Amino acid sequence: MVKTDEEIEGAVNPTLNPFRLQPVEIVGLKQVTSDVKTYTLRLADGSHFRFLPGQFNMVSVIGIGEAAISMSSDPDELEAIERGTWQHTVRQVGNVTKALDRLQVGDRFFIRGPYGNGWPPGYPLQRVGASRDLAVIAGGVGLAPLRPVVCRRLARKTGRLEILYGARTPEDMLFRDEFRTWAQGGARLMLTADKIADGADWPYRVGLVTALLDEMEILPGQGHIFVCGPEVMMKSVVRELTERGWPPEEVFLSLERRMECGQKTCGRCQVDAVYVCQDGPVFSYAVVKELLGVDI
Amino acid sequence: MTAQADKLKMAVFKFTSCSGCQTPFLNMETEILDLADHVDIACFAMASSATRPGPYDLTFVEGGISCEEDVRRINMVRQESKILVGIGNCAVYGGPQALRNFMSLEDLKRTVYPQPDLIHCFPTCKGIADYVPVDGFVNGCPVDQGHLQDYIVSVLLGKSPEVSSRSVCLECKMKENICLIVAEGVACMGVVTGAGCGALCPSFDRGCYGCFGPSADPNLNSFANLCRELGLTEDEINRKLRCIVNNAKAFREEVERHVPQPVKG
Amino acid sequence: MCPSQLKVDYLTRVEGEGGIELDLDEQRRLLDARVTIFEPPRFFEGIVRGRRCEEIADIIARICGLCPVTYQLGTLLAIEHILGVEVSRQIRLLRKVFILSQYLGSHGIHVFFLALPDYLGYDNIFEVAREHRDLVNRGLRLKKLGNDITSFLGAREVHPVTAVIGGFTKLPPRSMLDDLIIQLKARQEDAQAALEFVARLPRPAWVGGRVFGALSHPAEYGLDEGRWCTNDGLSLSAEEFTGYVEEYQVPHSNALRCRLKNGAHYMVGPLARVNLNFEQLSAEARYAAGRLNLCVPDYNPFNSIVARLLEIVHAIETSIKYLEEIEVRQESLSYDIRAGAAASLIEAPRGTLYHHFRIDDRGFVQEANIIAPTTQNLSRIEQDLKELVPQIASEQDGNIARACEVAVRNYDPCISCATHCIIKSETSGV
Amino acid sequence: MPRKVMQGLAGEDAVVERTVFNDIVTGLQERGYTVYGTVNEKGAGIFRPLGDAGEFSLRCTGGTMPPKDLWYPPFETLFTYDRQTGEFHTDIEETRHAVFGIRPCDVHALLALDEVFLGGEYQDPYYRARRVDLPLIVFNCVEAGDTCFCSSMGTGPGLDHDYDLLITDLGRSNGEGSERFLLEVGSSRGGELARGLRGEAAVDEDYQVKKRRLQETAAGERITLNTGDLPRLMHNGHDHPYWREVTDKCFGCANCTSVCPTCYCADIFDETDFSLRETRRKRRWSWCFLVEFGAVHGGNFREERIDRLRQFMQHKLNFSMGQYGFFHCVGCGRCIVWCPANIDIAQTGRVIRGDA
Ligand SMILES: Cc1cc2nc3c(=O)[nH]c(=O)nc-3n(C[C@H](O)[C@H](O)[C@H](O)COP(=O)(O)OP(=O)(O)OC[C@H]3O[C@@H](n4cnc5c(N)ncnc54)[C@H](O)[C@@H]3O)c2cc1C
Ligand code: SF4
Ligand code: SF4
Ligand code: SF4
């Protein structure tokens, strides 16, 4: 714990300021739902931006502030690598996200990152459970950080992939135009909406995402489950998964907390002894259920 | 001043108040000329004879609502304003004159006027949010000039202005003042008062008297107990909570817990 | 009902909410002129009843956001009279500096923001700044100086927090007074230059009221000590004030007004003070007046703006003198509560301000009476309108209205002050 | 025992008199440091820049506010952005502060912050710039303050590492004679400072006296907290009814966290000037007691005051152990002194662990 001056000096590369921002340019924009947009981005200096599925950036609109936003595209997609692009899918809820909403193709903003551990924690995706089955369970905008996983799995075609996705209404679902491709690629897609308009054409379920759990074919012991969504939703999901015999070590959750630095120094995202920004945002349920201050 | 499309069209209106919260606009000294670069002051009766009609992008309202005419005007102002911001104790809570809310209007009229029957006003003075929807507030009695500037800058940039739950205590600590409660046994209201003034009173050796209103989650029950421990009578505690800012919910409710409510019309 | 009515619905560049109504007949002869006040009453005299005498200065300060210092000090002076508190010389001097800082701030606002645009034909200070940036900067600096001193002694410009019975909660160290002196000296030139500019501005020639009232003191320019004198021979102590000055109501308006019991409508404020106390102005101010050929008594209310600048010059010089004298010894404030009643008079920027309180033996206020300067000026203002309008009756309505507004503004009326107890007037429907 | 009296030390441990304090302060100032020390204001110690050591007050223990702002200021600018040109400007200034009279608990607090800002994957260059050149002249505590419990937390009253110079008041020999202080040199920088000072070479007995005085101080601490197994016990006691009892008194004013030498939480925010020419990204202290601290869009993870109060105390007495391997409470007692509601973290710890 004790550091000499020399150690402090030696440990730091003074040219690397972790608060330094990188300018990015919007090369593509897509309205996903009425209040969600996907931004296709490129670093303004042309260099390649590397990240892991499940990681996030601190996105800056200067004068407004910063917000934590996950990468929503597949980091290994060849075309994107060639062009040096990646995507963020953002729901407008507040200052920064609304400021992003005002931007157009060709506009610039800033990022720093990537931050966090990714799915599942500590491992590149292809190494863990590559041959095992995977179920992803998402609520609302929580599908954004899971999309890289879905794309990755479909490209690798290893093991079964089940997607359980719920949103408030069918119109609030992200990536609806990709569902067909996902299904054709071999994913089993199970959808549910909390409520639907009278007389709407909705061949799927109505109700909470937990209602889909009975339809799952992947069984405990056969693979992993990745969950992302509002905390209450994750809470009921893991409760039911546990009842169905899923071991806590095989279920991974992406937690949301307030973040200001992403570097374990601002203290905002601490829960119990972990920092969600760096030790997470992805944790196994085995870890989460022991944490004081998380109601899951 | 001439209107310009890219400028923020701003207005300032006064209701029942002392003008102390408009004065900071005039006290912006050189900044006020900066202000004129981005902001088109379309209506500010105290500063300019040229008043142009709404709609306004940003309207600051000083003063509480205490009569029919106030109600008519605040509705009109609301209609004409995209963003309506109440500034100061009067607009937020009703101001010092809201002390009358806890008294009998008839008694007051008789006390002050030879012909009480000629007076027409409400028995209460209340904040503007009791009458119209409000987009934001700036606290203080008076408001701090810097907060008004921040508000304008935030609106110009397109973000919601900061709302902090800091207490006056934190401003004291940042100034390294010695705590009056701990060191001198003064029943300072800083612990239940929202920050914003820069801990003025404690910096000048007197206990905070709460002019920025209650903090975000004030523990008034504990404050009343603290006062009791420091030897204050119930009446003294009540007068503390019913002074400059008297009609804020948290202060009002704490007093109501202590005393049987006087009957009021 | 009168055949035609000319109205200024909402007076601008004054403090508070008021208007003007002129009734004219077919020949455009003026039948009546009224200053209407639609600010609702705030009952300050009522709401301080039942409160401890220590608490009320903070509440009463909230009568006016432009001159809270004089309200606070006026209250404290009256309470100190009741309790028999003798304040030390250093406190008396600091208080005078405190009051003078309010003059700088309040006059600064009135001269530059409210009045000057009239004399230059603009609507507001921003337009003035385009042509006369230098002058406006001088004005802003003078006002800032006033604000800085107020907040230096009182912690903030509006509703300061340090003035208490017997003195201040905390006294500044001597070294900081020296800093203030430096700041004051640095602004002397601005004050002189602004005075010069304004004194040379064309102003309407006009003879207004001939009765003036102000606190006067043989040894100093009346601020918070002395007797209230008029140029027609009254010389009153604070206690005697209400024996000779009466508040009354007029049929056409419900607002309280004041007049001398002999029936005279009188004027208070800077012009009144300069007229009555010219000899006590600082040497610089008197010298400047001579250089600029200003003579007293001056009956033209349009010259009030010059009187304000003379007071600004005076305030700076006098503050320097007082600050140099103060030694700063920490003193403890202690007093005993006792029952009684007393009045005080203080010269607010806008004129004489009267306070009267009665407290019981536990220090609770039983009775309060406050007469604000604007209350006293109101009938004089209406009188001016009545004399002014016939002379310009042939002009277009807009010009008449504008001229009336300027005439009202000469008095720097402070409607919030007036309405701490003024009754809402009935605006007649047309 | 024979002693070697020296006109000028060569940079070794020695016994000195109070007069050398001034030489040390001057020595630091001559080397370009701004020297901070506790000055007595209204009976409480406040770290202020010292003109000379005469202003320094030995009597106050830790000081009202910790000297934390010297390495972690309450406000700082991370960078400035010119809104017209789109250029960034970062100004990281290496400060040259020295602390004269910092206490062992505060040194431990500094080491805790080192771990936060420099010990992880990201190194904070702003902190580092203030930390690299920071001479610490430490005073061991020979008198416990009313609310000190450093010996419980293992952070005092004596220090045996991370000082440049360490000074222990040895008292007057046999209650008579002049005051004597043991001056220990802990670094080459400290050696430099000690060189040339007047003093006598330290002998065994001096170290014995020091040891005894520190033991007496530790024994004199009125507050104690058994830290054995504390994190686990705190974990288990998360729903203890005592939390409610304390919360009912707590104002949520954050005085406790604002005087804590190890609290490091922050806001990062943008500030734009009135003319809209520049935006400064700033960092400022924040505290888990603020209502908005745990608020995100649509909710607050610490909605209730009890959650916020628990976060503070759990962080100090439990979570920090999991995060960094040691307690972030260094037992300085400041939060106890300055809590207007008389809330006592050590007392809470004792109750939750079952000792009280
Ligand atoms: C690891 C992580 C990944 C995320 N990924 C996405 C994503 O891919 N798409 C998406 O739309 N949203 C995502 N969010 C949520 C997103 O960060 C918030 O909606 C966003 O911060 C709101 O910022 P704002 O300025 O628009 O809102 P405001 O409410 O104006 O925010 C004000 C401040 O509150 C903070 N804040 C508010 N809500 C949150 C929050 N939920 N999390 C952290 N800080 C918050 C911000 O730091 C901001 O400074 C993610 C959050 C986290 C923690
Ligand atoms: S100082 Fe005391 S009252 Fe204030 S937040 Fe801390 S524990 Fe609560
Ligand atoms: S928690 Fe309290 S006693 Fe512990 S280090 Fe912080 S301020 Fe000191
Ligand atoms: S979480 Fe609370 S106790 Fe911990 S460092 Fe942050 S502010 Fe201090």
Side-chain angles (χ1 to χ4, degrees):
Chain A
M1 117 180 193
V2 174
K3 277 202 165 62
T4 64
D5 291 349
E6 290 70 28
E7 278 168 336
I8 292 169
E9 196 123 36
V12 182
N13 175 352
T15 61
L16 259 192
N17 183 339
F19 287 102
R20 200 179 53 123
L21 301 180
Q22 288 184 285
V24 299
E25 190 187 320
I26 304 178
V27 295
L29 247 184
K30 184 169 168 188
Q31 192 81 40
V32 180
T33 72
S34 62
D35 61 354
V36 178
K37 272 184 190 164
T38 293
Y39 299 79
T40 307
L41 305 168
R42 188 170 55 201
L43 286 175
D45 67 4
S47 59
H48 189 55
F49 178 72
R50 302 194 53 79
F51 63 92
L52 302 172
Q55 285 190 310
F56 64 95
N57 277 331
M58 291 303 290
V59 169
S60 270
V61 180
I62 297 189
I64 311 278
E66 293 191 299
I69 304 289
S70 311
M71 276 59 88
S72 65
S73 58
D74 177 2
D76 294 343
E77 196 203 343
L78 283 176
E79 209 181 326
I81 293 176
E82 267 165 29
R83 294 209 204 116
T85 63
W86 79 97
Q87 292 179 327
H88 282 307
T89 300
V90 186
R91 176 152 158 235
Q92 313 150 25
V93 297
N95 286 327
V96 175
T97 49
K98 283 183 181 154
L100 287 176
D101 185 52
R102 295 193 285 266
L103 301 180
Q104 302 297 325
V105 172
D107 285 349
R108 289 185 175 195
F109 59 91
F110 296 89
I111 59 157
R112 54 189 173 88
Y115 292 112
N117 55 2
W119 299 103
Y123 303 90
L125 183 67
Q126 51 270 44
R127 290 233 314 271
V128 153
S131 59
R132 301 186 68 193
D133 299 331
L134 176 69
V136 307
I137 306 179
V141 81
L143 188 57
L146 281 164
R147 182 160 161 257
V149 176
V150 170
C151 297
R152 192 80 298 275
R153 288 296 290 218
L154 293 174
R156 292 271 159 134
K157 297 199 193 313
T158 47
R160 282 181 294 172
L161 174 64
E162 291 186 335
I163 302 167
L164 292 74
Y165 183 38
R168 267 177 303 154
T169 70
E171 291 70 38
D172 285 317
M173 293 203 147
L174 308 188
F175 316 126
R176 273 187 296 169
D177 55 346
E178 295 173 42
F179 289 172
R180 181 186 297 268
T181 327
W182 293 358
Q184 283 167 354
R188 266 194 78 224
L189 214 63
M190 288 157 265
L191 304 176
T192 180
D194 295 356
K195 59 169 187 285
I196 56 160
D198 288 340
D201 175 25
W202 179 249
Y204 310 99
R205 266 185 183 271
V206 177
L208 300 176
V209 75
T210 40
L212 299 169
L213 294 177
D214 284 337
E215 295 175 25
M216 270 179 75
E217 288 176 359
I218 300 171
L219 298 174
Q222 296 176 340
H224 294 100
I225 299 186
F226 294 176
V227 192
C228 185
E231 207 145 302
V232 278
M233 167 254 173
M234 296 205 280
K235 180 179 172 154
S236 44
V237 166
V238 293
R239 188 186 301 133
E240 299 218 9
L241 289 175
T242 313
E243 278 170 17
R244 285 168 170 75
W246 278 91
E249 298 75 28
E250 317 242 294
V251 178
F252 293 89
L253 312 169
S254 182
L255 294 187
E256 187 186 0
R257 279 295 180 279
R258 177 111 170 203
M259 290 172 191
E260 307 250 328
C261 72
Q263 307 164 5
K264 272 191 174 186
T265 60
C266 78
R268 289 301 188 111
C269 69
Q270 316 176 55
V271 217
D272 204 321
V274 305
Y275 288 88
V276 174
C277 70
Q278 227 184 82
D279 305 328
V282 179
F283 298 93
S284 81
Y285 178 50
V287 172
V288 170
K289 73 186 174 80
E290 295 304 320
L291 294 178
L292 293 179
V294 186
D295 188 23
I296 292 182
Chain B
M1 87 177 344
T2 48
Q4 261 179 280
D6 56 333
K7 286 189 183 180
L8 187 80
K9 197 171 165 192
M10 189 179 108
V12 181
F13 291 98
K14 173 190 179 337
F15 289 79
T16 307
S17 62
C18 80
S19 290
C21 291
Q22 309 178 58
T23 315
F25 285 107
L26 306 183
N27 285 348
M28 284 183 194
E29 269 99 37
T30 49
E31 295 92 335
I32 199 155
L33 303 175
D34 266 340
L35 176 73
D37 290 344
H38 308 284
V39 177
D40 159 25
I41 304 177
C43 186
F44 182 4
M46 187 159 139
S48 175
S49 299
T51 55
R52 279 176 291 107
Y56 310 108
D57 297 317
L58 174 61
T59 301
F60 290 107
V61 165
E62 175 198 87
I65 305 298
S66 73
C67 64
E68 241 10 290
E69 175 66 7
D70 281 350
V71 176
R72 189 190 64 77
R73 281 178 62 234
I74 192 69
N75 278 302
M76 190 266 300
V77 168
R78 171 69 273 185
Q79 247 166 30
E80 293 294 314
S81 311
K82 266 203 243 163
I83 303 176
L84 177 67
V85 183
I87 58 169
N89 176 17
C90 298
V92 184
Y93 304 115
Q97 57 273 352
L99 280 170
R100 78 159 177 254
N101 302 8
F102 313 103
M103 302 175 173
S104 144
L105 181 64
E106 295 315 311
D107 283 356
L108 280 174
K109 285 181 182 175
R110 271 194 299 276
T111 310
V112 181
Y113 296 100
Q115 286 172 270
D117 296 346
L118 293 173
I119 301 164
H120 306 290
C121 67
F122 294 163
T124 57
C125 183
K126 290 183 177 172
I128 57 174
D130 283 11
Y131 295 88
V132 293
V134 178
D135 302 298
F137 283 116
V138 182
N139 272 316
C141 193
V143 290
D144 177 79
Q145 181 188 322
H147 295 182
L148 293 178
Q149 292 186 9
D150 287 351
Y151 213 104
I152 297 172
V153 169
S154 297
V155 172
L156 284 170
L157 294 173
K159 66 173 176 183
S160 44
E162 189 195 51
V163 206
S164 163
S165 65
R166 290 171 187 230
S167 61
V168 171
C169 291
L170 289 175
E171 299 189 316
C172 248
K173 287 289 170 291
M174 295 303 102
K175 286 189 159 178
E176 303 204 14
N177 288 339
I178 306 296
C179 178
L180 289 169
I181 298 180
V182 172
E184 299 183 22
V186 173
C188 170
M189 282 178 75
V191 283
V192 288
T193 300
C197 64
L200 291 182
C201 292
S203 308
F204 279 78
D205 283 355
R206 87 175 258 195
C208 164
Y209 61 101
C211 70
F212 274 64
S215 54
D217 181 19
N219 189 344
L220 281 150
N221 183 40
S222 182
F223 180 69
N225 286 334
L226 173 82
C227 292
R228 287 178 193 116
E229 271 166 41
L230 294 173
L232 272 69
T233 65
E234 293 303 296
D235 189 46
E236 281 168 331
I237 298 170
N238 291 345
R239 274 188 285 114
K240 234 177 209 314
L241 298 177
R242 210 164 252 184
C243 190
I244 300 301
V245 173
N246 48 70
N247 195 31
K249 188 160 175 280
F251 291 174
R252 203 176 56 218
E253 288 180 351
E254 182 62 25
V255 178
E256 281 161 9
R257 265 201 292 277
H258 303 169
V259 284
Q261 255 305 80
V263 199
K264 220 188 65 178
Chain C
M1 260 291 85
C2 52
S4 86
Q5 196 178 47
L6 186 61
K7 290 218 271 188
V8 174
D9 284 335
Y10 200 106
L11 280 167
T12 58
R13 285 187 280 125
V14 299
E15 190 290 329
E17 304 171 78
I20 300 172
E21 287 175 6
L22 306 175
D23 299 339
L24 305 163
D25 70 6
E26 292 84 350
Q27 283 79 46
R28 288 180 79 74
R29 277 190 306 240
L30 183 74
L31 301 175
D32 197 8
R34 293 181 296 274
V35 174
T36 56
I37 295 215
F38 31 89
E39 248 201 58
R42 292 191 295 143
F43 302 105
F44 272 84
E45 286 129 322
I47 58 181
V48 296
R49 296 224 306 183
R51 300 203 70 106
R52 287 275 301 198
C53 56
E54 293 95 338
E55 305 167 351
I56 58 173
D58 291 323
I59 300 176
I60 287 173
R62 265 92 178 162
I63 287 177
C64 179
L66 292 177
C67 53
V69 169
T70 41
Y71 276 92
Q72 283 183 343
L73 293 185
T75 303
L76 293 173
L77 287 175
I79 301 288
E80 285 165 359
H81 293 166
I82 301 176
L83 302 180
V85 175
E86 281 287 335
V87 300
S88 65
R89 179 162 172 78
Q90 62 170 0
I91 296 295
R92 275 173 38 222
L93 292 181
L94 276 176
R95 281 182 172 174
K96 289 182 205 294
V97 174
F98 205 24
I99 300 171
L100 291 169
S101 74
Q102 188 87 90
Y103 277 42
L104 291 172
S106 181
H107 285 357
I109 287 182
H110 187 257
V111 169
F112 297 94
F113 282 80
L114 310 185
L116 196 57
D118 288 335
Y119 294 87
L120 296 167
Y122 296 111
D123 282 328
N124 54 47
I125 191 171
F126 309 105
E127 292 174 2
V128 177
R130 243 176 270 149
E131 285 282 318
H132 304 279
R133 185 74 188 222
D134 259 10
L135 176 74
V136 167
N137 281 342
R138 286 186 197 279
L140 292 174
R141 285 197 295 260
L142 287 167
K143 185 172 69 62
K144 181 163 164 38
L145 173 67
N147 288 342
D148 287 352
I149 300 174
T150 311
S151 31
F152 169 80
L153 290 170
R156 67 179 163 202
E157 305 116 40
V158 182
H159 304 325
V161 303
T162 58
V164 288
I165 296 173
F168 292 88
T169 55
K170 186 175 182 175
L171 290 180
R174 177 65 238 180
S175 61
M176 293 182 84
L177 299 188
D178 293 332
D179 291 347
L180 277 194
I181 292 173
I182 293 169
Q183 289 180 41
L184 281 156
K185 286 188 171 156
R187 294 281 79 84
Q188 279 180 309
E189 196 237 322
D190 283 333
Q192 287 286 352
L195 170 64
E196 199 123 334
F197 182 94
V198 167
R200 295 188 197 289
L201 279 177
R203 294 182 300 278
W206 172 253
V207 175
R210 291 177 168 273
V211 186
F212 304 104
L215 264 186
S216 293
H217 190 279
E220 62 172 43
Y221 195 71
L223 281 183
D224 54 349
E225 292 176 72
R227 295 175 72 79
W228 194 75
C229 299
T230 61
N231 56 339
D232 66 356
L234 282 180
S235 169
L236 310 173
S237 71
E239 308 300 335
E240 290 161 350
F241 187 73
T242 44
Y244 291 83
V245 171
E246 62 179 356
E247 289 183 282
Y248 72 105
Q249 291 184 288
V250 285
H252 68 254
S253 163
N254 293 326
L256 288 177
R257 273 121 220 261
C258 281
R259 65 181 165 215
L260 298 182
K261 284 190 174 163
N262 67 15
H265 305 296
Y266 63 97
M267 180 197 216
V268 295
L271 192 61
R273 286 190 293 256
V274 169
N275 278 340
L276 288 162
N277 302 327
F278 185 84
E279 289 311 314
Q280 283 78 21
L281 276 174
S282 75
E284 294 258 4
R286 268 178 294 139
Y287 177 75
R291 202 179 61 233
L292 296 164
N293 292 323
L294 307 172
C295 348
V296 286
D298 184 330
Y299 300 111
N300 183 357
F302 289 93
N303 286 341
S304 295
I305 186 170
V306 182
R308 284 194 183 86
L309 275 159
L310 278 175
E311 288 198 329
I312 286 179
V313 172
H314 165 85
I316 295 179
E317 201 187 343
T318 315
S319 298
I320 294 172
K321 191 181 104 200
Y322 289 156
L323 286 171
E324 278 170 347
E325 242 183 80
I326 296 166
E327 274 169 31
V328 187
R329 280 164 288 102
Q330 294 304 327
E331 46 183 296
S332 60
L333 310 174
S334 68
Y335 49 85
D336 294 319
I337 296 292
R338 66 182 193 209
S344 74
L345 288 169
I346 191 165
E347 282 294 326
R350 284 158 195 74
T352 312
L353 169 58
Y354 169 85
H355 285 80
H356 179 271
F357 300 101
R358 173 184 305 284
I359 64 173
D360 69 13
D361 55 359
R362 292 175 311 142
F364 288 94
V365 175
Q366 294 178 308
E367 213 177 278
N369 186 19
I370 299 163
I371 303 175
T374 298
T375 314
Q376 299 173 64
N377 274 335
L378 264 179
S379 59
R380 188 54 247 168
I381 296 175
E382 286 183 347
Q383 209 57 42
D384 273 7
L385 295 180
K386 286 176 189 162
E387 290 162 21
L388 176 71
V389 174
Q391 298 191 5
I392 53 173
S394 56
E395 301 253 348
Q396 293 194 329
D397 282 3
N399 288 348
I400 299 179
R402 194 173 169 114
C404 288
E405 230 189 311
V406 175
V408 172
R409 220 173 270 135
N410 283 331
Y411 291 81
D412 192 6
C414 180
I415 293 164
S416 293
C417 291
T419 53
H420 72 276
C421 68
I422 268 182
I423 304 165
K424 178 184 183 293
S425 74
E426 304 295 330
T427 36
S428 57
V430 173
Chain D
M1 202 175 292
R3 283 175 181 278
K4 201 166 84 193
V5 181
M6 289 168 294
Q7 284 311 311
L9 296 173
E12 68 281 32
D13 291 3
V15 171
V16 296
E17 291 184 10
R18 191 188 274 266
T19 47
V20 307
F21 293 174
N22 216 6
D23 301 330
I24 296 173
V25 170
T26 319
L28 283 163
Q29 284 164 339
E30 279 165 1
R31 289 172 174 79
Y33 293 100
T34 312
V35 187
Y36 288 79
T38 41
V39 173
N40 196 332
E41 274 177 31
K42 296 190 196 166
I46 297 197
F47 281 92
R48 297 261 189 248
L50 296 176
D52 61 59
E55 303 162 37
F56 170 77
S57 163
L58 252 183
R59 285 203 50 84
C60 30
T61 31
T64 318
M65 288 291 276
K68 178 172 78 175
D69 58 329
L70 300 181
W71 40 91
Y72 182 36
F75 289 90
E76 64 181 307
T77 300
L78 300 177
F79 57 74
T80 308
Y81 175 76
D82 185 321
R83 302 184 69 86
Q84 261 116 44
T85 64
E87 276 166 17
F88 288 95
H89 178 70
T90 311
D91 209 1
I92 305 187
E93 200 194 343
E94 286 201 6
T95 57
R96 301 198 76 204
H97 297 317
V99 200
F100 182 83
I102 186 174
R103 304 289 168 158
C105 58
D106 281 347
V107 175
H108 277 93
L110 168 62
L111 299 174
L113 292 189
D114 285 353
E115 216 40 38
V116 171
F117 288 105
L118 305 172
E121 189 176 328
Y122 301 93
Q123 310 271 308
D124 191 279
Y126 307 91
Y127 181 88
R128 180 182 152 274
R130 292 179 291 258
R131 178 65 174 104
V132 278
D133 195 3
L134 181 73
L136 302 175
I137 316 303
V138 184
F139 273 61
N140 277 337
C141 291
V142 292
E143 195 183 346
D146 289 346
T147 58
C148 295
F149 55 108
C150 56
S151 56
S152 294
M153 303 314 293
T155 57
L159 186 71
D160 48 24
H161 51 74
D162 283 281
Y163 54 83
D164 290 285
L165 291 175
L166 179 67
I167 299 174
T168 313
D169 185 346
L170 300 178
R172 296 167 200 266
S173 35
N174 310 323
E176 288 177 22
S178 55
E179 289 172 298
R180 303 166 72 250
F181 298 88
L182 176 62
L183 178 80
E184 292 169 85
V185 176
S187 70
S188 51
R189 189 166 54 193
E192 279 301 309
L193 286 167
R195 195 189 307 279
L197 296 178
R198 273 178 57 92
E200 308 165 352
V203 295
D204 249 9
E205 192 195 323
D206 300 321
Y207 295 98
Q208 294 303 327
V209 175
K210 161 185 153 180
K211 200 171 151 198
R212 201 186 64 237
R213 295 211 76 178
L214 292 178
Q215 279 164 351
E216 283 166 9
T217 311
E221 287 187 353
R222 271 172 266 175
I223 293 183
T224 56
L225 176 61
N226 178 358
T227 56
D229 208 17
L230 186 60
R232 193 183 61 83
L233 295 169
M234 291 294 290
H235 187 104
N236 295 343
H238 198 64
D239 296 316
H240 196 291
Y242 189 68
W243 290 116
R244 177 51 63 196
E245 218 176 288
V246 190
T247 306
D248 285 345
K249 288 202 285 175
C250 173
F251 291 111
C253 59
N255 273 318
C256 48
T257 39
S258 67
V259 296
C260 178
T262 64
C263 273
Y264 53 86
C265 287
D267 288 335
I268 294 168
F269 65 104
D270 286 4
E271 191 179 87
T272 304
D273 67 322
F274 210 30
S275 60
L276 305 191
R277 284 185 204 106
E278 287 187 340
T279 293
R280 280 170 299 279
R281 177 148 297 166
K282 289 192 161 180
R283 173 162 65 186
R284 70 171 165 212
W285 292 355
S286 183
W287 305 272
C288 52
F289 270 99
L290 303 190
V291 177
E292 72 270 17
F293 189 83
V296 296
H297 168 72
N300 189 341
F301 290 105
R302 296 192 196 99
E303 185 84 57
E304 302 287 325
R305 198 179 318 116
I306 190 169
D307 300 324
R308 302 193 284 272
L309 176 92
R310 251 191 321 220
Q311 166 64 19
F312 160 51
M313 294 199 181
Q314 286 281 20
H315 187 220
K316 299 297 167 189
L317 300 180
N318 170 10
F319 304 160
S320 52
M321 183 58 89
Q323 292 170 326
Y324 300 101
F326 52 92
F327 290 115
H328 267 203
C329 177
V330 296
C332 73
R334 287 186 180 93
C335 60
I336 306 174
V337 181
W338 299 108
C339 174
N342 281 324
I343 291 168
D344 178 337
I345 188 172
Q347 160 82 5
T348 310
R350 287 196 302 272
V351 173
I352 302 293
R353 84 187 320 280
D355 286 358

